[in-house]
Amino acid sequence: MRTARSRDRYRRPLKNSMIALFTAGCATLAVTSCSGSSDTPKASPTPSAAQPTKSADPTETAKKDAVATYQAYWKEVAKLYADRSGKSAHLKKYAASAALKNVESDAKQAHDHNRIHIGKVAVGNPTVIDLDVKSKTPKATLSSCLDISQWKVVDAKTKKPLSLPSDRLTKYVIKSEVERWPGGWRVIRDEPQGKRC
């Protein structure tokens, strides 16, 4: 059963910049040399010269995927709270079970009261503290520092900020459970720990 604290965690302002997605490009330039003689045979690689390719460690891959899903989940949470129509968010790609139900319910309640949240949520230092990749449904437990200090609650029509309690926690430890479903990793539960970070 959700506590008042877990219900309130989505109603607090936040506008920190999310960790930007990385992009990298690499190009390979193949250079071949020509010899002066056209009848000189060209060398071809032999099978014995080929280097074996190492496969990625499944444990490390699972950790990275779980963390990436969690970060994407919070981006979609912010989109959902900012849009009363709910059309711009794709939360179901990253959340399921209690996490999905709670966020959708809380966002609807905010929207029904003519409130939207603007800004972004910052997920600081997301760390996998427990991982089980061998079970039928692989799962990971994450701990992170959720910073909602820049998420602002505003009137949906006027966009004027609403006053909130000054003693609310806006940067706190949150523990989350993520499972790998057939369609990919999904956040199924997240619980504020009531501790500053």
Side-chain angles (χ1 to χ4, degrees), residues 86 136 159 195:
K136 186 175 180 181
K159 303 299 185 289
K195 297 187 294 185

Side-chain angles (χ1 to χ4, degrees), residues 10 61 130 133 157:
Y10 300 112
T61 299
D130 191 30
V133 293
K157 293 179 181 176

Side-chain angles (χ1 to χ4, degrees), residues 2 6-7 9-11 73-74 76-81 89 91 95-111 151 187 190:
R2 295 164 58 209
S6 67
R7 287 193 303 270
R9 72 183 184 277
Y10 300 112
R11 300 187 186 110
Y73 159 78
W74 275 106
E76 296 305 317
V77 169
K79 285 181 187 177
L80 180 63
Y81 273 82
L91 197 61
S97 195
L100 178 62
K101 181 180 177 183
N102 292 344
V103 172
E104 287 183 334
S105 173
D106 289 348
K108 183 181 183 307
Q109 187 173 357
H111 296 157
W151 205 15
V187 178
D190 61 342

